[in-house]
Amino acid sequence: MMMPTDSVEIVEVAPRDGFQSIRESIGTDRKVLIINALAAAGCRRIEAGSFVSPRAIPQMADMGEIAQHIAWPDGLRYMVLVPNRRGIELALASGFREFGYVFSVSESHNQNNVRRSVDDSLEDLAGLVERLEELTEPWRLRINLATAFDCPFERRQSAVRVAGLVAHIQTLISGAEIALCDTTGRANPRQVKALFTRVMQASDDPRTTWAYHGHDTFGLGVANALAAYEAGVRVFDTAAAGLGGCPFAPGATGNTATEDLVFAFEECGVTTGIDLARLLDVAEDIAAIPGGCVASHLRHVPRERVAG
Ligand code: COA
Ligand code: ZN
């Protein structure tokens, strides 16, 4: 049963998970306008982009410039994806203090995505945590466990392996946010609820917080997020207009659309803090980006019906 006074945090990931899927350059100015508009629509945490190899993802090569031009109002948190130490250093130099570190549950996707073994990714994580612990100012780390439910090459992943990786992460860092990611959108609600329940019950770090990152490839994005909510998750990654698709996971389409999940939660009495009408305006701007692949339900419903 959903409690009427409950609230969730939506992490808007279109500027990272969405933009990275677009081949041709979007342009720094356009990205900055969209990020600022997302903040104005009430998004309180935005994944602004990634500090990755520009050869792997050329679209992210202007992160330093983006950092200089976006607004940094109080109360707005920016997160950036970093795959390695180099990414952390560049992100720190640009003023970011919240990082998303990604590696995959499955070996083949990890090789494809970050070109290393899962063991090497865990070792790198240990080094990153040591580096962050040298900082004198506050910082936060999110660990994105990609392919936690399904891998495009190896299919369904074992819950035992996911729980083992979570336990390993917790030996390296206490108090991280751990996201189980349905990279391919192939999970189902029962699986999502069961995996989160299992992993959260097995966790012996009470400071760990949990997030769900889902794609909508098979149309189950909202249902999967609600299932994660039922398991106790309160942080959800979504992309306005449903922009997205992992370039290293064949066939994966966009993230669950922010407007669809916001609508679903608000209809259930769970608050998100996001202004749906303003968010839909930004979703239109995002849908107009050439080369983007978008999908959402709410954008196609007459506005007056959404508001009612
Ligand atoms: N930022 C900018 N440049 C980086 C970088 C970073 N974080 N990490 C590495 N590079 C550069 C290196 O300097 C090197 O450049 P050079 O060839 O001009 O000297 C080049 O990228 C390759 O570096 P290397 O350390 O050998 O990495 P790799 O080729 O083994 O690739 C990753 C590993 C992780 C850097 C790369 O695969 C990557 O950036 N992947 C991004 C994955 C991603 O974002 N996926 C989608 C999100 S889930
Ligand atoms: Zn994703």
Side-chain angles (χ1 to χ4, degrees):
M1 265 296 284
M2 289 182 178
M3 302 301 290
T5 53
D6 217 346
S7 65
V8 291
E9 182 182 12
I10 300 285
V11 182
E12 174 54 56
V13 302
R16 197 280 298 173
D17 213 350
F19 289 177
Q20 76 178 14
S21 68
I22 299 179
R23 206 170 277 276
E24 51 265 56
S25 168
I26 295 167
T28 307
D29 292 349
R30 193 170 197 169
K31 291 182 189 173
V32 168
L33 282 174
I34 288 172
I35 292 170
N36 288 342
L38 287 166
C43 298
R44 283 288 145 263
R45 190 171 3 157
I46 298 175
E47 192 172 35
S50 53
F51 285 88
V52 295
S53 161
R55 248 192 270 163
I57 308 211
Q59 187 65 262
M60 291 294 149
D62 59 353
M63 273 311 296
E65 261 184 280
I66 288 175
Q68 284 175 22
H69 292 99
I70 48 179
W72 292 74
D74 285 347
L76 172 60
R77 292 167 55 189
Y78 286 120
M79 188 166 85
V80 285
L81 187 120
V82 294
N84 55 16
R85 174 75 179 256
R86 177 89 192 277
I88 287 263
E89 298 303 341
L90 291 171
L92 283 168
S94 288
F96 293 100
R97 296 292 178 268
E98 295 199 28
F99 313 97
Y101 177 73
V102 62
F103 70 97
S104 311
V105 172
S106 76
E107 287 291 347
S108 51
H109 186 264
N110 208 52
Q111 281 294 348
N112 216 37
N113 194 32
V114 290
R115 300 161 61 88
R116 46 180 51 59
S117 68
V118 173
D119 279 349
D120 286 346
S121 281
L122 282 164
E123 207 174 300
D124 289 354
L125 173 60
L128 293 188
V129 172
E130 269 175 35
R131 169 69 182 101
L132 290 172
E133 281 171 346
E134 290 168 5
L135 296 176
T136 49
E137 63 271 54
W139 53 272
R140 295 195 212 220
L141 185 60
R142 140 87 76 101
I143 318 289
N144 284 316
L145 264 182
T147 66
F149 302 91
D150 174 79
C151 165
F153 315 110
E154 298 173 32
R155 295 303 318 270
R156 191 176 280 235
Q157 297 299 294
S158 103
V160 173
R161 179 165 166 84
V162 177
L165 288 170
V166 166
H168 193 137
I169 291 166
Q170 290 175 322
T171 65
L172 302 176
I173 177 170
S174 168
E177 179 174 83
I178 299 179
L180 302 187
C181 306
D182 181 21
T183 308
T184 58
R186 189 68 180 82
N188 66 65
R190 192 175 272 190
Q191 183 193 9
V192 169
K193 187 172 178 182
L195 188 61
F196 270 109
T197 302
R198 175 175 186 148
V199 165
M200 289 162 85
Q201 274 173 1
S203 165
D204 51 17
D205 174 19
R207 295 180 57 233
T208 297
T209 53
W210 306 95
Y212 176 66
H213 174 105
H215 287 249
D216 199 26
T217 318
F218 293 85
L220 291 178
V222 167
N224 286 337
L226 295 179
Y229 176 92
E230 294 282 337
V233 177
R234 292 293 178 269
V235 180
F236 299 87
D237 290 0
T238 56
L243 183 69
C246 175
F248 303 101
T253 62
N255 294 82
T256 304
T258 307
E259 55 270 32
D260 290 354
L261 192 60
V262 165
F263 183 78
F265 274 130
E266 299 279 350
E267 286 291 300
C268 293
V270 178
T271 60
T272 63
I274 291 177
D275 180 329
L276 196 48
R278 296 181 78 170
L279 182 79
L280 280 164
D281 289 340
V282 192
E284 292 306 328
D285 295 343
I286 289 176
I289 299 172
C293 173
V294 293
S296 85
H297 289 275
L298 266 275
R299 273 188 55 237
H300 304 293
V301 177
R303 285 291 184 96
E304 61 276 13
R305 297 205 60 207
V306 175

